[in-house]
Structures are given as structure tokens and as C-alpha cells.
Amino acid sequence: MTSLFKTYIIPFLVVLHFSFAYSQDLSQKEIDAIKNKIAFDINFAQKNINNNEYYKAQDDLDQALELAKQINDNKSIGLIYSKIGKLNYILEDPEEAIKVLVKAIEKQRFSKDNINIAETYKTLGLVYLNYKKEYNSAIDYFNSAITIFDDKDLHAYEAETIMYKADAYTALKSYTIAEELYEEVISISKRYQNNKVLSSTYIKLANVKAALDKLEEADSLANLGFQIAEKNNFKHILNLGFKIKSQIKEEAGEFQSANYLLKQHLALNDSLLKAKRSYLAPEKRLTFMFDNHIDYQKEREANLEKEVSSSWLEKLTTILSIALITILSLLTLSLYKNNNIRLKSNNILHKKNAELTIAMEKAELATKTKANFLSTVTHELRTPLYAVTGLTNMLLEENPKPEQVQHLKSLKFSGDYLLTFINDILQINKIEANKVDIEPEVFNLKKKVENVISALNNSALDNNITIHFEYDRELPENFDADQLKISQILINLIGNSIKFTKDGDIWIRIIKQKEAGDNLEVRFEVEDNGIGISKEKQQNMFESFSQGSIQINRKYGGTGLGLSIVKGLIDILKGKIYLKSELGKGTTFFFELPMKKSHQEIKVSKTNFFKDVDEIELSNIKILVVEDNKINQMITKKILNKMKLYCDVVDNGEEAVDMVKINNYDVVLMDIHMPGISGMEATRIIRTFDKELTIFALTAVTIEDKMQEFEDAGFTDIIPKPFKQEDFERKLFNALMITDKKSS
């Protein structure tokens, strides 16, 4: 046996190896020829499917698959698997269809063949809808297909898939949802003149209307669909139409008409079933296989004639070859048995992988929807908040009556609280989406913490709290780090301690942990002797909207977002945070951050915005305010007037462009969302004839997500609404100073 293995099997494997190497070294011309043959086989298979020659189509696809595997053409392999899966669906073999379609998805995802993967999703949905009766799974696959078809503007395919999705909801008896979906399909089908889908949808919608007791509408819709199907000889749709119309007539009490239509349905249905059975009959397959076998036998007989005329040596070679093939067959059979379980496991894994992919796509869609929702809601909230905060500040500055001051301060507090809440939600959203960047700058850490404590000290005094600050003497004061994020962390943690402490103390400590050259690890501690946190609640303290209890929320207020923001910012800064607390005894938050020591001197400069009137001729400054909201127009104009600046006001983008053309403005304050052309578009137009004009985007949109769009449109800078008076004055002053220097 060993001798036989060496004599025959090793040479056979060598030949096999060189054969494989040959397939790897095909020229581009040969590869192109194979690709053309694959495309030809696929097209021919589709024609055979259309002509109900399913077994011939299967043979064409098998040949194409063999060629595609030969050149490792994943895109073609995925398409062929998809068509084989569709063929298995037609041949009423759902299990094989699912197995092959899952393989198709794997290949199509790898080759990024989005259009064909959508068709595969649709076919999988049909398998689960019509054979497995797992309607929710079918809807998931249809949704995935619809998303891709819509993205690629393939509306005809999208309409058909939405129709199937509505079929699934009809099967679930969710008639209201199905009704809305069918009406959407009718609208798309009319637009793109897809009569087959249109006629089918009319009839299916009629069925849903009947289920909702809208019999007159149902009868009218069924007739519309039936007329289109009859005109175009859509026999399967006519068959469905007879059935649905019969049911509607029966519901309406017109039993004679119902009986007549039912007989029409049964007759046509029987005819269609006979035709389908003839296409799928085993005899048809045997005939096809027999024809192929005759061709094989002719080839075999020709080979036998050659063998008879050959020498005894050739006969011996043939016998040995047969023996070799037999041995290899036995080895193959053994391998098959050993690998059979693995293959079944792989099929299950492929299926689960496809399901996970669907789940991932649904999660991505949900995330995108959430981001769009937050962007829209925050814009809609910021716009009226601009009016609330602006008017409140104006009223407080206009010598209100003593009894009105407290009311105005309460109104200002409520506006500031709502703005803080909106900003917290946006901050969480940005952290979750990994859209927060580290922005290091040189600053004095000790002074920064002292400033934070000073800003929060009034709130501490209101609760009769004493704040103690300890700064490690061995720790340098100047660092190159993101001071804004560190301030946010400390403000949230110290503010949290103030909120939950009465008549007590808060200790802030900053300690050097490690040092390696200019790189240090700094430990921050915020300790209080407030109400403390229970062990159970500590586990969820860093989750969004998490507070101790509803009672605590009502008593102490707050959004429950502060600690979640703290955790997210510390993670971004590559630090760690810890919590130690005991009910009734207080809480300690301590976090460690890697920071870099700075050797630069910090220069502090103060600008007295618009106080030194001699620095700039304010009377000569021309400002254009572009804002469609009348209240916001009035607020912005009053703010500018108090700064001794005057402005023109227009309420749309077209007028803004015209005004800039005929006037020499120094600054334009441009709103974004307006009737007609938007502020973005107006700015793009202005930049075609004026590159130097200072244009500020005065907007309530979430600027972090839109920064690139603002820059591309040509804005000089952005002032988010509602803005802080100091920030507004600083940006305006700096812009006017630059303009004044250029003109001089």
C-alpha cells in the first residue's frame, strides 16, 4: 500500500498542485474571458428562469459558480448564490434557499455589492414570509433591502419590497400599518409606472380595507387592480383578484356575485397550479438529466473505442488510474464524513452572522435617527431660548420694579437651567458618537481650580458649605492639557457635592502620583460629608439620567447627566475615575489623569470690549442682521444698540445677498434656517463676489456636527444661540478691529 501511494498518489497530487498554480497565473485576457463566460451563463440562467426552465437554469448557474470560484470572483459568486437561493425558493425548498442566501450575503458584503445584497435580503424576506411564516424576521429583511434600494434610488425595487413588507403586516393582522405601506407603494408605482406592482397592491389594499370594514373602498380598489391586471394579462394577479373580490362581495352580502367570482378563482388557480407542477415535475428533471446523460454516454463510447485500439500498456494504465481514483474516492468519502458536522455548524454560523448583521444595521439606523432627532429638537429649543434669555437680560438691565426683579431672576434661572440641560444632552451624544476632540493648551492648573471654586462658592455658601483646597507643593502649576474638559469635570463633581451636602465641608485635593520627565500622573479628589450613596446605587452612578431615586431627583433637582459626562470626558483624556461613599457619611470622587508639564510662561491679557470708544469709530460701522424671527430680530438689534452699534435687518437670504451687493457692510450676522434660500446658500453666493466680508453664523444648530459645512460655505466664525453676551462682544470686537486695521 505504501509503495502504491508513492507510485501513484504523490504524482497525482503534484499534478493537482501545478494545476492549481496554473489557475493562479492566468493572464488578464484569460480572466476577462472567464468573466464574460460567467456573465453569459448568469444571463442565460435568468432567461431560463423567466421561461420556467428551472432545471436548465440550475445547470447554468452551477457552471457559472465553478468558473467564478476558479478566478475567486467574490462579486459574481455572491450574485450566483443569490440567484440559486431564489431558484430554491421557486422550487419550494426553503431550508436550502436560506442556506444559500446566507452564503450570498457573506460574499456580497465582502465585495460591497450593495445593490445585489438588497435583492438577496428581499428573497430571504420572501422565504420567511411565505414558507417559514416568521413574519417579524421577514419584516427585518425587507427593511434592510428597502434602506439600500432607497439609498441607491432604485424606487421600482423599493416599491415591490415595501409591498412584501405590507404583506407581512397583513399576515400579522396589523391592518393599519399595512394600509399605510400599501398606499405608499401605490404612490411610488404610479410615479415610476410599475403596473405589475401597482395592480397587485390595489388588490392587496382592497383586502386590508375589507378587513377594516371599508367595503366600498375595498370594492373600488379591487376593480382598479383587476382592470390593470386584465389589460396586461397578469394571470397570478388576476387569480388573487378573483379571490379578494369574492371575499368582498361575500362580506357585502352579495352571495351570488361572490360565488361566481370564487368559481373563476378556483378555475384559474387550478390552471396555474397545473402549469407550475409541469415546470417542477420530477419527470421534467429526469428528462433534463437523461438528455445530459445521453451526451455523456456518447462521449464515453467514443473514449471506449479509443481504449480498444490502444495497447495493453494503456489498458494497464487505465486500470491503475481507476484503482487510484477508487482510493481517492474512499479518502474523499472519509473526509466528507469527518467534515459534515463542521459544514452544518458553519451554515448555522453563517445564518447567525446574517441575523447579527441585520441587527447591526438596525442599530446604526436607530443611532442615525437619534442623532437627527437631537439635532432637530435642540435647534427648535434653542431658538425660543434665545428670545427668553435675551429678553430677560434686557428687562433686568432696564431698571425693573423691585417686585419684578425676583420674577425676572427666576425666569433667567429657568432659561439657564434649560440651556444647561440641552447642552448636557448634546455633550452625552457627542461622547457616545466619539466626536469629542482633545484640545490641549498651556494653562495654570492651580489658578484654574481656584477659578472653578470661586465660581461655585456662592452656591456652596447658600448651603452653608465651606470649600477647602489643597494643592500638592511638589506638583508644578503650568500644564499643557485640555483645560476646558478638566474644568467641566471639576464643575460637575464639585457641583454634585454642593447639591447633596448641607451645613458641611467639601475638600478638593490635587496630588502628584507619578513623574517621568515632563509627563505626570495627577490625582484629583473631591470629598464631601453629604448624604452619601448606597452600595446598590453606586454601580449605576456613571450612567445617563442616573440618580439615587425619584425622591432625590425631586428634592435636589438636576438632570442626572453630570456624572455620565464626567466619565465620558475622563475616558477621552485617558484617565480613570473611582468612587467611595457611605450613606450618611459622605462621598469621595477621585480621578487620575496623565498630564504634560509646560515650561512656557502664561501671559494674561484683558480686553475691554467697546469701552474705549476712541479705538474704533463705532458710528461708521455697518452691520447687517439676517434673521426671519421677528422677536430675535428685535433682541439682536437691541443688544447691538446697547453696544453703540447700529444695523440693518432683513428676514431672508435673497434680500441679504441684494443688500450686501449695494452696501459696504463690516459684519453680517447670518441666521441659517430661513424661508427661501438658507443662510448657508446665501453665504456661498456672497463669497462669489466678496471674499473678505466678515460673516458670522448666528445659529441655533449644533455647531460641532456642522463645523465642516459652515467652513465650506465660507463663514468667518460661528456664534451659537443663545449666546453669552461676553462671547458675542469679544467676537464682534475682534472682527471689527481686524476690519478697521485693513481699511487703515
Side-chain angles (χ1 to χ4, degrees):
M1 180 68 187
T2 306
S3 175
L4 183 64
F5 183 87
K6 290 180 179 178
T7 307
Y8 294 105
I9 296 180
I10 292 176
F12 176 80
L13 293 175
V14 170
V15 170
L16 197 65
H17 168 76
F18 282 110
S19 173
F20 176 76
Y22 170 77
S23 69
Q24 298 297 307
D25 296 331
L26 290 170
S27 68
Q28 189 59 47
K29 189 175 181 180
E30 288 170 322
I31 291 171
D32 291 340
I34 292 172
K35 284 185 176 181
N36 290 334
K37 179 65 170 66
I38 292 168
F40 176 82
D41 285 342
I42 292 172
N43 289 332
F44 207 72
Q46 189 60 53
K47 287 179 182 177
N48 280 326
I49 291 171
N50 296 338
N51 294 327
N52 304 313
E53 296 287 350
Y54 302 125
Y55 300 118
K56 288 183 180 179
Q58 179 73 58
D59 189 56
D60 294 330
L61 291 171
D62 287 342
Q63 290 181 41
L65 183 61
E66 189 177 340
L67 290 170
K69 286 181 177 178
Q70 184 181 337
I71 60 171
N72 200 25
D73 184 356
N74 282 308
K75 187 173 182 180
S76 294
I77 292 170
L79 176 59
I80 295 163
Y81 275 142
S82 181
K83 289 189 176 292
I84 292 173
K86 183 70 174 284
L87 200 54
N88 286 321
Y89 166 73
I90 294 168
L91 295 171
E92 301 178 359
D93 188 353
E95 298 302 330
E96 186 64 25
I98 290 171
K99 185 170 73 173
V100 176
L101 289 168
V102 167
K103 286 183 182 179
I105 289 172
E106 184 180 354
K107 292 293 182 182
Q108 288 166 335
R109 180 167 294 282
F110 181 77
S111 59
K112 297 181 180 178
D113 187 5
N114 288 333
I115 293 175
N116 286 317
I117 202 174
E119 186 67 22
T120 308
Y121 283 142
K122 185 182 78 176
T123 306
L124 261 172
L126 287 170
V127 175
Y128 279 96
L129 172 65
N130 295 319
Y131 289 117
K132 306 288 284 183
K133 306 300 181 185
E134 295 178 19
Y135 303 119
N136 288 316
S137 295
I139 289 166
D140 286 341
Y141 283 116
F142 290 141
N143 281 335
S144 296
I146 289 164
T147 301
I148 297 170
F149 285 140
D150 181 55
D151 186 53
K152 300 295 181 182
D153 293 329
L154 297 171
H155 300 294
Y157 295 97
E158 180 188 7
E160 185 182 27
T161 312
I162 296 171
M163 180 184 73
Y164 293 139
K165 178 180 172 182
D167 293 346
Y169 277 110
T170 303
L172 290 167
K173 297 185 179 180
S174 299
Y175 297 121
T176 305
I177 299 173
E179 182 182 28
E180 292 176 1
L181 290 170
Y182 282 136
E183 285 171 353
E184 182 184 353
V185 175
I186 288 169
S187 174
I188 298 171
S189 300
K190 281 181 178 178
R191 195 183 319 147
Y192 295 98
Q193 299 179 345
N194 190 338
N195 285 327
K196 194 165 188 178
V197 173
L198 181 63
S199 61
S200 183
T201 307
Y202 271 135
I203 291 168
K204 290 175 179 180
L205 180 57
N207 183 41
V208 169
K209 294 282 187 184
L212 294 169
D213 291 328
K214 302 175 182 178
L215 295 179
E216 287 187 14
E217 286 184 62
D219 190 47
S220 175
L221 288 165
N223 288 331
L224 274 173
F226 198 84
Q227 287 168 12
I228 298 169
E230 200 169 31
K231 184 178 179 181
N232 293 277
N233 196 28
F234 299 145
K235 289 185 178 179
H236 285 88
I237 299 172
L238 285 171
N239 183 40
L240 178 65
F242 280 128
K243 181 182 176 183
I244 300 299
K245 286 177 70 176
S246 171
Q247 291 170 353
I248 294 168
K249 293 296 183 185
E250 186 179 351
E251 288 288 326
E254 300 177 25
F255 299 111
Q256 190 173 352
S257 296
N259 188 45
Y260 170 75
L261 290 165
L262 182 60
K263 286 180 180 178
Q264 295 286 95
H265 161 65
L266 291 172
L268 181 54
N269 191 59
D270 188 50
S271 172
L272 292 171
L273 278 174
K274 283 180 181 177
K276 185 176 182 180
R277 287 194 192 103
S278 70
Y279 301 140
L280 302 180
E283 296 82 9
K284 185 100 173 176
R285 184 165 193 171
L286 286 171
T287 302
F288 174 72
M289 292 173 68
F290 182 71
D291 291 341
N292 277 1
H293 186 67
I294 289 171
D295 293 337
Y296 174 75
Q297 278 298 115
K298 287 178 180 177
E299 185 180 348
R300 180 86 174 166
E301 286 171 5
N303 289 336
L304 283 172
E305 286 177 6
K306 289 179 182 178
E307 287 177 12
V308 169
S309 62
S310 65
S311 66
W312 66 270
L313 183 59
E314 288 173 334
K315 289 179 182 179
L316 179 61
T317 305
T318 303
I319 293 167
L320 291 173
S321 298
I322 292 168
L324 177 61
I325 291 168
T326 304
I327 293 166
L328 289 173
S329 298
L330 291 171
L331 288 171
T332 303
L333 182 61
S334 176
L335 286 170
Y336 171 77
K337 287 181 177 179
N338 290 332
N339 290 332
N340 195 34
I341 295 172
R342 182 177 59 83
L343 289 172
K344 286 181 179 178
S345 300
N346 281 343
N347 288 333
I348 293 169
L349 286 172
H350 287 317
K351 183 180 176 181
K352 292 296 179 186
N353 184 50
E355 291 172 358
L356 287 171
T357 301
I358 295 293
M360 182 186 72
E361 289 172 352
K362 287 171 70 178
E364 288 173 354
L365 181 63
T367 302
K368 186 178 178 182
T369 304
K370 183 186 81 171
N372 291 337
F373 170 77
L374 282 173
S375 179
T376 303
V377 167
T378 51
H379 176 264
E380 293 304 318
L381 287 172
R382 281 170 180 264
T383 300
L385 261 180
Y386 176 62
V388 170
T389 55
L391 287 171
T392 305
N393 285 327
M394 284 181 190
L395 290 170
L396 283 168
E397 291 173 4
E398 291 177 355
N399 299 319
K401 295 177 182 178
E403 63 270 19
Q404 293 175 331
V405 172
Q406 189 56 44
H407 297 316
L408 290 171
K409 285 184 176 179
S410 297
L411 181 61
K412 184 177 186 302
F413 173 82
S414 297
D416 290 341
Y417 176 83
L418 184 54
L419 181 59
T420 301
F421 181 60
I422 292 168
N423 289 337
D424 283 351
I425 292 174
L426 289 173
Q427 182 81 319
I428 289 290
N429 195 45
K430 284 190 292 176
I431 289 170
E432 289 177 353
N434 295 320
K435 290 185 177 179
V436 180
D437 297 322
I438 298 175
E439 299 175 1
E441 57 184 309
V442 177
F443 72 103
N444 186 298
L445 177 61
K446 186 178 181 182
K447 287 183 181 177
K448 174 59 66 176
V449 179
E450 287 171 347
N451 289 340
V452 170
I453 293 169
S454 176
L456 296 172
N457 200 45
N458 286 335
S459 298
L461 292 174
D462 289 342
N463 284 0
N464 195 25
I465 296 169
T466 303
I467 298 179
H468 310 273
F469 178 40
E470 301 171 14
Y471 194 90
D472 192 339
R473 291 182 180 179
E474 295 184 6
L475 192 66
E477 294 187 6
N478 293 349
F479 288 91
D480 186 4
D482 194 327
Q483 62 165 322
L484 180 60
K485 290 181 179 57
I486 293 171
S487 297
Q488 283 181 284
I489 294 165
L490 289 169
I491 288 168
N492 274 300
L493 291 178
I494 299 169
N496 196 68
S497 290
I498 291 171
K499 190 191 305 179
F500 296 110
T501 304
K502 299 285 184 184
D503 304 321
D505 296 89
I506 295 173
W507 293 268
I508 292 101
R509 305 182 189 92
I510 303 180
I511 305 160
K512 184 177 79 171
Q513 291 286 97
K514 298 175 185 175
E515 184 173 5
D518 288 343
N519 297 311
L520 290 90
E521 185 177 281
V522 182
R523 180 186 177 96
F524 298 77
E525 294 183 3
V526 179
E527 180 184 355
D528 65 63
N529 51 14
I531 63 172
I533 307 165
S534 67
K535 293 289 183 185
E536 310 88 74
K537 302 298 180 186
Q538 288 179 32
Q539 297 176 4
N540 303 318
M541 284 310 295
F542 295 108
E543 293 180 6
S544 300
F545 302 102
S546 174
Q547 288 188 329
S549 65
I550 295 171
Q551 290 76 15
I552 287 175
N553 185 22
R554 288 175 177 169
K555 182 176 180 180
Y556 295 97
T559 64
L561 291 171
L563 293 180
S564 180
I565 291 170
V566 165
K567 179 69 166 63
L569 292 175
I570 289 173
D571 287 343
I572 289 165
L573 296 173
K574 295 181 172 56
K576 297 176 183 177
I577 185 166
Y578 309 92
L579 164 66
K580 184 173 68 177
S581 183
E582 190 176 342
L583 274 176
K585 294 187 177 180
T587 303
T588 303
F589 287 97
F590 42 98
F591 61 96
E592 296 164 356
L593 294 178
M595 298 179 68
K596 188 175 182 179
K597 180 170 61 177
S598 175
H599 302 283
Q600 295 182 27
E601 290 185 16
I602 300 171
K603 296 180 180 179
V604 181
S605 59
K606 294 184 180 179
T607 306
N608 296 320
F609 303 116
F610 297 103
K611 288 184 179 179
D612 191 353
V613 180
D614 294 335
E615 287 187 15
I616 189 166
E617 281 294 327
L618 298 180
S619 59
N620 295 328
I621 293 169
K622 296 187 73 176
I623 297 174
L624 176 64
V625 176
V626 188
E627 169 68 69
D628 65 314
N629 186 294
K630 298 297 181 185
I631 297 174
N632 290 349
Q633 286 179 4
M634 181 264 291
I635 292 169
T636 306
K637 189 172 182 178
K638 280 199 170 187
I639 290 171
L640 291 170
N641 290 346
K642 284 191 175 184
M643 294 157 60
K644 299 180 182 179
L645 297 168
Y646 299 93
C647 62
D648 295 329
V649 180
V650 295
D651 58 10
N652 61 71
E654 290 92 339
E655 286 187 45
V657 174
D658 294 338
M659 290 289 282
V660 171
K661 283 181 179 177
I662 60 176
N663 293 286
N664 187 23
Y665 289 109
D666 297 285
V667 174
V668 175
L669 301 176
M670 181 80 73
D671 189 27
I672 299 302
H673 296 294
M674 296 181 292
I677 65 172
S678 68
M680 291 273 196
E681 187 60 32
T683 302
R684 288 191 187 97
I685 296 170
I686 291 170
R687 287 302 182 214
T688 60
F689 60 85
D690 192 333
K691 305 288 186 186
E692 303 298 326
L693 177 62
T694 299
I695 306 177
F696 286 118
L698 194 62
T699 176
V701 302
T702 310
I703 62 172
E704 290 84 356
D705 297 334
K706 302 283 186 179
M707 189 65 76
Q708 189 59 47
E709 291 182 36
F710 286 118
E711 290 179 4
D712 294 342
F715 284 101
T716 308
D717 204 344
I718 302 162
I719 301 175
K721 293 190 289 190
F723 52 75
K724 292 182 180 178
Q725 186 83 12
E726 183 183 350
D727 292 341
F728 180 70
E729 286 187 21
R730 175 176 54 78
K731 288 193 176 184
L732 201 56
F733 180 82
N734 290 340
L736 292 171
M737 286 296 292
I738 292 168
T739 305
D740 184 60
K741 286 177 182 177
K742 286 182 180 178
S743 60
S744 61

